[in-house]
Amino acid sequence: MSVRVRIAPSPTGDPHVGTAYIGLINYCFAKRHGGKFILRVEDTDQTRCTPESAQAIYASLRWLGLNYDEGPDVGGDRGPYVQSERVKLDLYRKFAEQLVDQGDAYYCFCSARELDVMRKRQQANGEPIMYDRRHRGIDRNEARERAAKGEPYVVRMKAPLNGEFVYRDRLRKQPVVKGWKEIDDQVLLKSDGWPTYHLAAVVDDHLMGITHVIRAEEWLNSLPKHIWLNERLGFTAPEYVHVGLLRNADKSKISKRKNPTSLLWYRRQGFLPEALLNFLALLGHSHPEGKEKFSVEELAAVFDLDRINVAGPVFDLAKLRHLQGQWFRELSAERMKEEIHRAVDARIDQLLPMLKERMACGGDYLTQVEPFYADQVQPHADDLIPKGWDKADATAVLAEVQKLVKSYLAGDNPVWDAPSVETLLREAMTERSLVPEGATDAQRKGAALWQPKGLFMLLRVAATGRKESPPLFDTLAAIGGLKLVERLGHAQLKLR
RNA sequence: GCUCCGGUAGUUCAAUGGCCAGAACGCCGGGCUUUCAACUCGGAAAACCGGGUUCGAUUCCCGGUCGGAGCACCA
């Protein structure tokens, strides 16, 4: 039987590096065995999924060169490849009903509110959190009548009450063993009539002839449900293989708070697909000859699922940069020029509106734009001391602003655009320019520093190295928060 | 809390029931360069702990510990 594997991302938000990672593994596995690599979009959560996000997934996979043999925008004879379209064809309901008929599933009429109360109580009592199966014994015909009258319901699987589940994952030393009593009566069909992940994935994997499900470790715990569903539905289950999750530096599951997770970001940033893929390949897998730099084709030729290391690898951007450098420097002059053009173009769109008034010809762009690209700027110490200030004043204020920006950036989801930078600074100024009653002369003097005139020039010079620049807040926004913090620090050194 | 998974330098990955546990990134130092980068040479740096099996355990087994994941009408 020929190999058929799939990736099944959910189109919520930006396309994720994790998708690329799992995609790469599946892609190589398929190529290695002369099989098919399939993309299926799992958009059964009507509240969270968007078509734009699905488009971004297609575009990103194409950018990476992880071309799928079958998928939403390329077709195939096991389609459609988008679950919402499959819902319209009523592909899932009949399997849910089949299970109900077999006595392997049942209608449940609990409301969300009811379930919430139940969960809270379990939590308070330190009990395991799971559905208490109150409708499990419900009469099937009676239940269907209630449903026919319009009462909202879900269909739940009737998980075995006892016994053990054993499954061997080829990548794990020990077989996966789990007591059935730990396993919940999972919802299969939601009250909106759409399937949950569990039902949809099992049904589709079967219908699409998937032979190996290679997915992230986070699914390991629901493996019994999936095997059970296959069994009760009379399907031959695919082989399930679970690989480790990409991690942040602190070993938690990779998140956008702590790492760039959006494939869009890597593309925008100018990373080459070859380099990203090469880097991803190094995480969790190793080349049999110990090679470090290789193409996807090379990898596919030697790829061995059993060489995958299941411990979650920490995603290390520094290593990616190194590899990217290797690939980048090997580019032909022609291609390198293209890459540079792309990078510059992207930045021009952002910067041009604020720079154009200060330009008289195209070449001026190069001088105007320098502060926005440069790693460092070199302000003159003299320029860093506004009129009427002394060195200590400037240093103190720079340090204060630096601290302010730093803590702002460390906060929850910091927005860094002109309005937010302005708000941040103006609030700080208002606060600090207040003179408390009975203030000392020193306090009075300190407070006086937090006026736009001197402060804005100081920040401008520290941030750009120049006394003239586009409007301050636009400038600070375009430079970026992290770089600004660096430059504020650098300016303090200049004053020493 | 319950269940499951994992543990070799800071990070990613090797090899190995027995010789000095090997590489890459990062770090430190040297060379090249006006400088930086690239390149190159060198250096520091690792088997979670305890028990068992064995002549011998980083490797196999058990327990602990630490880390992670899952416990939704999300996927």
Side-chain angles (χ1 to χ4, degrees):
Chain A
M1 186 177 47
S2 94
V3 165
R4 290 174 60 83
V5 294
R6 48 68 165 187
I7 48 170
S10 192
T12 57
D14 283 359
H16 201 271
V17 259
T19 303
Y21 179 61
I22 300 291
L24 175 66
I25 293 171
N26 276 279
Y27 177 89
C28 289
F29 183 72
K31 293 299 153 204
R32 177 80 170 85
H33 294 96
K36 298 281 188 228
F37 172 57
I38 295 153
L39 172 68
R40 180 175 72 228
V41 169
E42 308 224 327
D43 59 346
T44 53
D45 184 344
Q46 297 180 72
T47 59
R48 295 173 60 223
C49 297
T50 64
E52 298 76 48
S53 175
Q55 291 300 328
I57 290 171
Y58 311 152
S60 294
L61 290 173
R62 213 166 302 124
W63 169 63
L64 287 167
L66 257 21
N67 299 317
Y68 30 95
D69 302 295
E70 298 170 29
D73 56 341
V74 302
D77 50 17
R78 308 283 191 115
Y81 294 89
V82 177
Q83 284 182 336
S84 56
E85 289 172 30
R86 300 172 74 81
V87 169
K88 287 179 199 137
L89 299 173
D90 217 20
L91 281 175
Y92 305 106
R93 174 178 300 275
K94 65 175 184 210
F95 289 105
E97 292 299 338
Q98 179 191 332
L99 290 171
V100 174
D101 286 333
Q102 287 170 198
D104 286 323
Y106 57 94
Y107 283 44
C108 164
F109 296 93
C110 291
S111 67
R113 165 121 203 88
E114 228 173 312
L115 293 174
D116 205 41
V117 170
M118 183 191 72
R119 245 175 251 132
K120 292 247 165 64
R121 198 197 55 228
Q122 289 168 335
Q123 200 146 33
N125 297 349
E127 294 165 33
I129 297 168
M130 59 198 285
Y131 176 59
D132 64 5
R133 300 175 162 146
R134 63 183 71 165
H135 284 99
R136 190 169 161 120
I138 201 165
D139 178 77
R140 160 162 83 222
N141 297 320
E142 189 192 313
R144 279 182 169 143
E145 265 170 48
R146 281 170 70 178
K149 280 188 206 134
E151 199 175 331
Y153 69 97
V154 301
V155 175
R156 286 179 182 275
M157 63 180 263
K158 205 181 270 186
L161 267 6
N162 45 47
E164 264 183 354
F165 168 88
V166 180
Y167 180 82
R168 184 158 174 92
D169 181 319
R170 70 204 287 182
L171 296 180
R172 324 253 155 191
K173 298 182 212 167
Q174 304 292 325
V176 178
V177 179
K178 222 170 147 112
W180 273 112
K181 63 174 185 302
E182 322 283 349
I183 292 162
D184 212 349
D185 282 1
Q186 183 60 240
V187 170
L188 263 20
L189 213 59
K190 301 185 260 187
S191 56
D192 61 6
W194 289 46
T196 57
Y197 168 82
H198 304 279
L199 210 221
V202 165
V203 166
D204 284 345
D205 286 337
H206 169 73
L207 260 21
M208 293 182 178
I210 300 303
T211 56
H212 303 259
V213 172
I214 307 167
R215 69 209 326 186
E217 194 173 36
E218 47 188 338
W219 297 112
L220 194 53
N221 282 289
S222 35
L223 181 60
K225 294 170 189 169
H226 300 162
I227 300 268
W228 182 87
L229 279 169
N230 273 288
E231 211 176 275
R232 305 316 303 168
L233 255 10
F235 302 161
T236 306
E239 179 177 349
Y240 288 95
V241 182
H242 299 86
V243 308
L245 244 29
L246 262 26
R247 309 287 183 93
N248 297 314
D250 63 4
K251 305 276 182 140
S252 56
K253 169 166 139 180
I254 197 167
S255 64
K256 63 179 169 190
R257 270 306 108 73
K258 298 172 181 172
N259 265 303
T261 56
S262 168
L263 293 173
L264 268 23
W265 183 86
Y266 292 92
R267 188 176 186 178
R268 238 187 291 121
Q269 208 66 18
F271 283 96
L272 298 165
E274 294 92 326
L276 216 209
L277 255 13
N278 189 167
F279 169 67
L280 255 16
L282 256 19
L283 301 178
H285 189 264
S286 59
H287 189 106
E289 290 156 33
K291 279 180 78 169
E292 280 264 316
K293 178 172 174 290
F294 45 80
S295 68
V296 175
E297 287 65 38
E298 267 177 273
L299 175 64
V302 297
F303 184 81
D304 182 357
L305 199 48
D306 297 313
R307 283 188 77 89
I308 297 227
N309 183 173
V310 293
V314 171
F315 190 90
D316 180 13
L317 220 51
K319 179 100 182 217
L320 202 211
R321 282 197 66 86
H322 167 79
L323 226 38
Q324 161 74 15
Q326 308 252 315
W327 282 93
F328 185 78
R329 279 178 235 112
E330 270 181 25
L331 255 28
S332 66
E334 207 51 42
R335 266 211 66 191
M336 200 178 283
K337 238 158 88 180
E338 278 170 34
E339 287 300 319
I340 295 166
H341 277 305
R342 250 175 24 82
V344 172
D345 278 354
R347 211 67 221 280
I348 286 184
D349 290 340
Q350 183 197 0
L351 296 176
L352 210 50
M354 60 195 242
L355 295 184
K356 65 179 176 192
E357 285 154 65
R358 273 154 273 265
M359 292 169 51
C361 58
D364 291 350
Y365 178 77
L366 265 17
T367 51
Q368 285 295 329
V369 85
E370 197 241 282
F372 298 97
Y373 281 103
D375 277 344
Q376 273 201 349
V377 293
Q378 303 296 342
H380 288 295
D382 296 347
D383 297 338
L384 285 166
I385 303 169
K387 226 162 128 185
W389 295 36
D390 60 27
K391 212 182 241 197
D393 293 337
T395 308
V397 169
L398 284 170
E400 185 83 10
V401 174
Q402 188 184 26
K403 212 172 87 191
L404 176 76
V405 173
K406 226 178 191 166
S407 73
Y408 175 74
L409 293 175
D412 204 36
N413 206 12
V415 180
W416 191 260
D417 57 13
S420 54
V421 175
E422 174 155 16
T423 307
L424 177 71
L425 283 174
R426 291 220 190 259
E427 273 172 12
M429 286 161 67
T430 310
E431 209 176 287
R432 271 156 253 243
S433 57
L434 275 179
V435 181
E437 198 135 339
T440 62
D441 279 356
Q443 282 173 323
R444 248 174 242 287
K445 196 172 170 254
L449 298 176
W450 293 85
Q451 296 299 326
K453 197 171 167 143
L455 178 66
F456 283 5
M457 182 51 74
L458 173 62
L459 293 180
R460 180 186 321 282
V461 173
T464 66
R466 304 174 181 194
K467 286 189 284 186
E468 53 290 311
S469 84
L472 183 66
F473 302 114
D474 293 324
T475 301
L476 298 183
I479 284 172
L482 289 178
K483 212 171 222 183
L484 178 61
V485 170
E486 245 173 66
R487 290 182 184 181
L488 291 172
H490 185 67
Q492 290 167 65
L493 293 180
K494 281 271 170 186
L495 282 168
R496 278 227 293 248

